[in-house]
Structures are given as structure tokens and as C-alpha cells.
């Protein structure tokens, strides 16, 4: 299951940075796992790390070439296949978050078989999970939840892991989406698991652990999102978090991809507690992360954060702008070692 | 998608009635779709319909042989394969609710290809669904929900469909589990859908319809079941029910397969309303179905039902013992044509 490191990031010839966001996210959070980037002529994205050829990367010890791009249909352009086959021939494994499976391309499948390379399609789980049991297990867990999709749940979880580790806490990021899997080198894309096994997969991902160990679990969707709330609930039940952090984007008026209004932060806290109690009666909210990027003036951003802190009597921060220290302070108070 | 009728029920050589419960359920609810049963020597189950050979059934016009059995591993015993191949050769399609796919057995796959037979593995959806949109659509929908798994949600939905139809209402059972799919001839086993598409599959299953048309949707799991609540929530959001009926088994103390205590009926009503409101602000509970089989004395059963009716101010019945007329009465009052 583990994706071998270090990585060579393949950015292809994508037309902008957004199309390479998976690769750029890996560099943001795991700079030292990335030996370099391999770009085709015309590539408009730049992860600001060394440009390497496949031969150079292989010589320097690269173990996996990660297809660090996203595109609308999730398909693999034909003119990338040669590069992938070359990487396999050079001894690298390949990891992809595209919808299309690597092994469905005959040239890639054949090369992988011939050279013993592993093909990781992180969007497709090849694992079998048990159904969730809901039994309490040792170790502590923190889950990020959201008022919507794409409001910073992965970013917040990674920032929390980094802050907790910097204080010597035993914290481990647990990935539940494709970019997160590359960043942690393991994990499971929960949205690709068969429905019956959502909470079972979340239990597998956050197993029994030391009493002082924190799994910091990347949330998915929102309990209030009509497309994905089932995944959110299964993850909540399976992760049985002791603590959760609500993530929010204050300028959004309707939920991503649908016409529904955003819930309030308070509604998310209440429903997360009401549902989470099923597998962890002591579940509690320990903070709120707000993306204030749209508020250019820092004063304005700080005002919003302190208003929200007062309303909910919780630490509130923008993890990108101000870090997550206040939340970790509060977490340590709520869960003394 | 439609499974062609009439059916020949294949009961194999199962050792008791429980192992043939899928087949027996089809006969209970769709007697006229079943031409007969085909049993191997030693079969201990009996659907109490004509025993037919494959040749007899084919001659009488059978279109599909349904593997009407369940077993622990979901595997197909080797000594059933010949019967299945014979049915294909006689011109029948095959439908199975086993975990193992029919097409994974080379002899079955080859015979099906040669004779143009369709293989229905109702546990495995071959369909691609869109993600749920949560948009309101015309037509009315009723969903059965439960305090647990296996508390009569399918039975109640079928009983409600039958009662509504007997009153000339435009009602249609919508199957979300394998037995239900055989009983309705279509539907989707929701627990086998990829997690991202649960609510989308539920929307597909209960499409836009006439204003007076009722989809009577078979519920799955329970919002309080730690293994399956994600499926339950995705179904609730996708079906966007106007009305729901809570199903309950009063003697059960812990939830099926796990150690969690059962929620109260009131908790299920409250959480179903709280979550269902997202895609249907007017969602309401229209009745409660209680399985009173464990209460031998009819007086005792009636006492429990009337106590519960008083507590929740809703019609309460045992659909097997007393029918669902009171719930349909109430439904018509709440939703006048």
C-alpha cells in the first residue's frame, strides 16, 4: 500500500498551476520527499524544484514517479504514455490520482509486468475492507469537518499535524483523498470505497494506537452537502474522533456544485456532535479554521476571526495566514497528557 | 437493467428455508411473477410453488432463472454451475444476489456469450451514476427508515405499496437491496455503489414523476448504525422523501452485528428530520411499524402499539399482524390529492 519515496513529480504539459495542484500540494507539505519535477515541453506549471530527466531522477534514487496533475475527465493523455513507460523502464513505480487506471493502458501494463513496477491508482481502492464495527479503540483522533467541500479540511489537518509535531506531540496525518495519499505516502481515497465499507475503511485507516498518539484525519465533504454527506458520516463514525475542527470559507454563498445555501458553523458543530456521539460519546469541537483569503486587509480578517471566536467560545484562526497554534493550545488543554 | 419475467426460482440444495429467503420473499410479494421453483436433490427449502425442470420452465415461457438463495460467503457452489449453464442453454437469463459474480465463472460466462443470455449480478452495480444534486423534483416519495438493520424496512415498504395501490393510489416500490431488486424487477443495491455516488444513485432510482405519484422507497441500515449510517444518509438525501415511516423491533437490545444500544424511535424521528430537511424542508414522519412477533398475545401487541401511538402522536402498527391501513389513512390526510 505504501508509495515508495522519494518521488519524481510528473507535471506533463499542463496549461496552468491549477492543473498541477496535486504535485504542488506534495511539494508544499513534503518538500523533502520530492527529488525533482519532470516536465514536458510547453508545461506552464512549476513546482519550483529541480527539473530532472527520468534518467537523472533514477540515478539519484527516485522510487516513484507521481502523476501530479488533475484534469476534467481524469484521463491520461496519449502523449504522456511514453514518459510513463520510460520511467517504468528506469525502475520507478508509478502513482496516479487520475480516474483512468494506469493498468488499463496496455503499454503501461505490459511495461510494469516486464519490469516489476508497482502501479498505484490512488482513486481506486484495490483493498477489501471489513464493515465498520464502531468499537472504541485506544489512541486519540482529530477530524477536520467542513461547512462545504473544498474549504481547507486537508490543509488544516496537515497544518495541525505540523504544529503538533513541532511541539513534540505524537501526531500523524491520515489521508482520505487522493492528494492526501501522495502527501502521506499511504491512506485511502474514501470516496472510491464501496458504500457498505466507508466506516470500515475509516476504522482501518485510524487503527488502535498509543494512548498519546493523535491521528489527524483529513475530512471529506460535509454533513450538509447533498452529494457527499454519506461519505462524511461514514468517516465520522469510523474515525470516532475525540476532537474535531470545523473548516469554513466565509464568502461562499452556495455549496460547491449544488444550489444549497451553506450551513452555519454552529449547525455543523451541532450535527457533528449529535452524529459523532454514536461512536465517541465524548466528541468535542476544539477549534474553527476560516479561510480569510478574500479579506485583503489583515484587520478585517482578524476582526472576523475574533467575532467568530466570541460567538462559539472556541479558538478561531486562518491556518494559512496565522497558523493553527491557538487550536493546538486549546487541544492540549482539553486533552492533557 | 430490468430483469425479465416470469422467473424460475433456483433454490439449489440449500439446507433450510432461511438460506432461500430471497426466493421465498419473491414468492411472498410477486407470486404471479414466479412460474415455479427448480430444486436439486436434498433441497430442504420449499417456496410452495410448482417444481419445474429447466426444460419445463423454458417451455412455459420463463425468462430468467433467479438464484434465490443467500449463503455466508456469497459464493456459488461448484455443483450448481451445471444447472445454471443448462438454464442459459434453454434460453433463460440468470439473476443472482450472491457476492460472487456469475461472469467470473468461465463456464457461465462462455455459455452466456454463446447463447446471448444476460447475467444480472444485483449485488454489483455496473451502472455509472452522477453525484447527487439535491435539487427538488416533482412527484412524492416515502422512505422507510429504522432503529436498526433488519427491522422490516423492506417489508413495510412493500406492504405500504400494496395498501396504497389497493386504494387506487399511484404507488411504486423502489428497491435498494438485492431481494428488493428481484421483487421489483429493477432497482439498485445501494450498498454496492461507490461511496461518492450513494445519493446520486438514490436520485436516479426515484426520478421526477407525476405530482400524485408515490415512490415507496426501501430504506437501508440506520442513521444510528455505526457500520452503515453513511448509506442511510446518502439514501435519505437522494430520495428527498416527503414522508417517512420508522421501523422498529422492540425486543432487540443491541444493534445488529455491533454492541451499540438501539436508539429510541424518537431519536430516529428527530435525526431523520434534521438531516432530511437538507433536500426536503417539508419532510415529516407519517407512522411507525413495529414488529411484534415476539409478543405472542395479541392484546400485549396491541397495547404496545397504542402506547407508542400515544407517545408519538402517530399511527403505529405491525404491518405483518395488522396491516398498514392506519398509516396510509394518515398519509392521505397529510398529503391530500
Amino acid at each position: 500500500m505504501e508509495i515508495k519515496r522519494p518521488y519524481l513529480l510528473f507535471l506533463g504539459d499542463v496549461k496552468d498551476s491549477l492543473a498541477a495542484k496535486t504535485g504542488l500540494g506534495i511539494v508544499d507539505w513534503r518538500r523533502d520527499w520530492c527529488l525533482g519535477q519532470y516536465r514536458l515541453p510547453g508545461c506552464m506549471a512549476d513546482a519550483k524544484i529541480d527539473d530532472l530527466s527520468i534518467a537523472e531522477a533514477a540515478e539519484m534514487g527516485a522510487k516513484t514517479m507521481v502523476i501530479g496533475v488533475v484534469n476534467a475527465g481524469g484521463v491520461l493523455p496519449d502523449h504522456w504514455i511514453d514518459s510513463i513507460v520510460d520511467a517504468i523502464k528506469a525502475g520507478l513505480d508509478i502513482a496516479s490520482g487520475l480516474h483512468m487506471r494506469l493498468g488499463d493502458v496496455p503499454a503501461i501494463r505490459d511495461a510494469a509486468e516486464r519490469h516489476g513496477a508497482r502501479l498505484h491508482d490512488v482513486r481506486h481502492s484495490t483493498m477489501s475492507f471489513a464493515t465498520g464495527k464502531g468499537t472504541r479503540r485506544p489512541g486519540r483522533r482529530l477530524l477536520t469537518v467542513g461547512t462545504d467541500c473544498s474549504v481547507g479540511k486537508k490543509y488544516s489537518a496537515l497544518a495541525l499535524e505540523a504544529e503538533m509535531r513541532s511541539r513534540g506531540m505524537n501526531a500523524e496525518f491520515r489521508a482520505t483523498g487522493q492528494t492526501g495519499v501522495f502527501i502521506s505516502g499511504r491512506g485511502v481515497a474514501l470516496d472510491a470505497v464501496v458504500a457498505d465499507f466507508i466506516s470500515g475503511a475509516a476504522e482501518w485507516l485510524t487503527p488502535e494506537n498509543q494512548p498519546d498518539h493523535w491521528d489527524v484525519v483529513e475530512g471529506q465533504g460535509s454533513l450538509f452537502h447533498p452529494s457527499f454527506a454519506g461519505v462524511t458520516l461514514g468517516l465520522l463514525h469510523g474515525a470516532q474522533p475525540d476532537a474535531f475542527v470545523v473548516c469554513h470559507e466565509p464568502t461562499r454563498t452556495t455549496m460547491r456544485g449544488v444550489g444549497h445555501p451553506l450551513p452555519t458553523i454552529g449547525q455543523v458543530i451541532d450535527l457533528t456532535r449529535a452524529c459523532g456521539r454514536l461512536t465517541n460519546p465524548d466528541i468535542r469541537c476544539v477549534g474553527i479554521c476560516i479561510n480569510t483569503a478574500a479579506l485583503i486587509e489583515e484587520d478585517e480578517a482578524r476582526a472576523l476571526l475574533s467575532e467568530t471566536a466570541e460567538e462559539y467560545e472556541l479558538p478561531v484562526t486562518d491556518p494559512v495566514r496565522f497558523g493553527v497554534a491557538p487550536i493546538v493550545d486549546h487541544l492540549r488543554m482539553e486533552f492533557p497528557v
Side-chain angles (χ1 to χ4, degrees), chain A:
Chain A
M1 282 299 295
E2 190 108 7
I3 302 171
K4 282 192 268 175
R5 306 187 294 258
Y7 300 156
L8 171 65
L9 298 185
F10 177 74
L11 303 187
D13 52 355
V14 296
K15 292 300 163 235
D16 55 29
S17 300
L18 200 62
K21 72 173 185 177
T22 301
L24 303 186
I26 300 172
V27 175
D28 280 347
W29 291 103
R30 298 294 185 255
R31 173 65 191 85
D32 53 326
W33 293 6
C34 302
L35 277 184
Q37 61 186 346
Y38 174 51
R39 303 188 292 168
L40 298 178
C43 182
M44 304 296 282
D46 185 356
K48 308 263 165 59
I49 57 177
D50 291 345
D51 279 295
L52 299 176
S53 70
I54 287 170
E56 287 166 340
E59 200 171 320
M60 291 168 68
K63 292 282 186 291
T64 302
M65 184 165 88
V66 175
I67 316 293
V69 301
V70 289
N71 59 22
V75 298
L76 189 67
D78 280 345
H79 64 285
W80 292 1
I81 295 175
D82 284 349
S83 304
I84 294 170
V85 170
D86 286 347
I88 292 171
K89 285 183 181 162
L92 276 67
D93 291 343
I94 309 292
S96 156
L98 297 171
H99 265 297
M100 184 173 176
R101 288 170 206 259
L102 292 165
D104 284 349
V105 180
I108 295 175
R109 188 186 53 228
D110 293 350
E113 278 172 13
R114 210 165 331 113
H115 296 273
R118 291 169 66 191
L119 303 177
H120 300 276
D121 289 294
V122 304
R123 274 270 176 88
H124 300 272
S125 177
T126 51
M127 284 196 54
S128 298
F129 299 100
T131 55
K133 288 291 162 259
T135 314
R136 292 280 279 141
R137 42 194 194 284
R140 296 209 180 271
R141 288 157 201 94
L142 181 151
L143 174 68
T144 55
V145 301
T147 51
D148 193 2
C149 301
S150 307
V151 288
K153 291 185 292 286
K154 180 179 73 254
Y155 189 98
S156 298
L158 284 160
L160 285 162
E161 184 206 37
E163 177 69 23
M164 291 164 82
R165 287 193 167 193
S166 78
R167 300 187 189 194
M169 293 171 73
N170 190 2
E172 201 167 350
F173 173 74
R174 299 296 194 184
T176 59
Q178 51 156 335
T179 304
V181 170
F182 292 131
I183 290 174
S184 72
R186 56 192 294 281
V188 52
L190 268 193
D191 56 7
V193 168
V194 167
D196 236 6
F197 304 103
I198 308 172
S199 66
E203 291 183 359
W204 171 87
L205 186 67
T206 59
E208 179 172 334
N209 220 313
Q210 315 276 314
D212 71 336
H213 179 278
W214 280 94
D215 283 326
V216 183
V217 187
E218 176 191 7
Q220 288 295 327
S222 165
L223 284 177
F224 289 89
H225 198 295
S227 311
F228 309 116
V231 177
T232 312
L233 183 61
L235 171 55
L236 176 61
H237 284 160
Q240 54 178 240
D242 304 276
F244 65 94
V245 169
V246 180
C247 304
H248 180 61
E249 210 285 65
T251 62
R252 212 174 284 176
T253 53
T254 59
M255 300 193 83
R256 213 175 145 83
V258 296
H260 291 64
L262 249 69
T264 64
I265 292 169
Q267 285 176 307
V268 172
I269 293 175
D270 290 346
L271 190 58
T272 303
R273 270 207 296 242
C275 293
R277 214 170 273 148
L278 182 73
T279 55
N280 190 336
D282 298 323
I283 184 172
R284 59 192 104 160
C285 184
V286 294
I288 299 167
C289 288
I290 298 188
N291 177 350
T292 63
L295 308 177
I296 310 294
E297 299 297 330
E298 195 174 304
D299 284 359
E300 218 184 334
R302 289 205 186 271
L304 174 67
L305 299 180
S306 49
E307 272 164 40
T308 314
E310 208 164 302
E311 183 176 354
Y312 295 106
E313 299 179 336
L314 284 169
V316 181
T317 186
D318 179 332
V320 178
R321 212 161 182 172
F322 307 117
V324 294
I327 296 178
V328 176
D329 292 343
H330 185 69
L331 185 74
R332 299 200 78 161
M333 226 171 56
E334 289 278 319
F335 298 90
V337 191

